[in-house]
Amino acid sequence: MKQLSIDIADKQEKMGGLPSSIASVPNLIENPILNTAHPPAPFKVKICGVRSSRDVQACADAGADAIGLNFYPASIRYVEPASESTKAINDTAKRYGICRVGLFVNHASDQVLEVARALDLDAIQFHGDETRADLRRALDAGFQVVRAIRLPTSPLAAEEIQSHLESLWDLPITFLLDADVGAAFGGGGKQLHWPSLADWASRYGRHATRGWVLAGGLDPACIAEAITQSTAKSVDVASGVESPRGQKSGDLIPKFVIASGLGGVDETGRLSETLPTAGENPTD
Ligand SMILES: O=C(O)c1ccccc1NCC(=O)[C@H](O)[C@H](O)COP(=O)(O)O
């Protein structure tokens, strides 16, 4: 079983996550070995808003390397942090070496950390109007941080995109660029103007070797084009792999991951060798 754990860690490293040897380093700015202020994104393909162990199984089978647990009570994808069902989802993902991201919207900082610690989450995604101090606190507590930046869906100048995240640029966090869907905060199926993101990334993102994530209205039909046009290296999806809305589809998840070309599957759709085979029931 030890070998399996090593395989999982290797797989995460190959898929762009932090090298396993330094995955627990909380603040990369202060790490002299890395000598970088900006961590890579903690995942390549995140399926957000999973609500059952079956959903997680579909993600593992497809080769997705992250799931999002949605702790925003107003969302159709909400899961109760302390429930047995959430614990089971979380445990299943952990056994498969899938990055577990907790999604919060304007929660109290103490509550965020309490939930993240209780579930031993890998990363915290802030999707509301949380402050720099909230992000700093999560980093200091040792969690990787994903910050959703909610952008207009119209064509945008690189400077305008940068203005939405400039005040957080120095933090060792990952930006998730999502469409602004107003009071719903996220999960609305609206697409960003992808070429604008490519322009921004070429001027700002790549220059600083910064990991960032494309989100908003992605689905199996558009994901390849979205990646080409935006130059994103990591993607996130919620509604685009659901049927009906709010219910993850075991058919759409693999279609999405394979079409993205970013998952742990080869071109024939088979799992790569380093991925634990779904159904193998790996243990820690
Ligand atoms: O998914 C939700 O219901 C949600 C609600 C409130 C804040 C964030 C939410 N989702 C966060 C995500 O990371 C989604 O995957 C992202 O917004 C893209 O969603 P979609 O356009 O449906 O793919």
Side-chain angles (χ1 to χ4, degrees), residues 26 40 42 52 79 84 97-98 100 107 125 128-129 135 145 158 183 187 197 205 230 242 260:
S52 70
V79 289
E84 282 305 312
I98 290 176
R100 293 155 299 118
H107 291 65
Q125 179 171 327
D129 304 310
L135 276 52
V145 168
L197 305 188
S230 69
E242 293 175 348
S260 77

Side-chain angles (χ1 to χ4, degrees), residues 1 8-9 15 47 114 179 207-208 219 244 246:
M1 283 308 148
I8 291 168
M15 294 178 78
I47 308 296
E114 190 184 319
H207 172 64
D219 62 30

Side-chain angles (χ1 to χ4, degrees), residues 26 107-114 117 124 126 131-143 145 171 173:
H107 291 65
S109 190
D110 283 346
Q111 194 193 358
V112 171
L113 293 184
E114 190 184 319
R117 285 186 180 124
I124 295 172
F126 291 100
T131 65
R132 183 185 169 91
D134 293 323
L135 276 52
R136 186 76 257 177
R137 214 176 149 206
L139 287 167
D140 289 345
F143 294 101
V145 168
L171 293 177
I173 62 177

Side-chain angles (χ1 to χ4, degrees), residues 46 48 70 72 75 77 103 125 127 178 184 186-187 189 216-217 236 238-239:
K46 171 168 152 269
C48 197
N70 189 323
Y72 179 47
S75 171
R77 305 177 181 96
L103 189 157
Q125 179 171 327
H127 218 103
D178 196 7
D236 171 282
S239 55

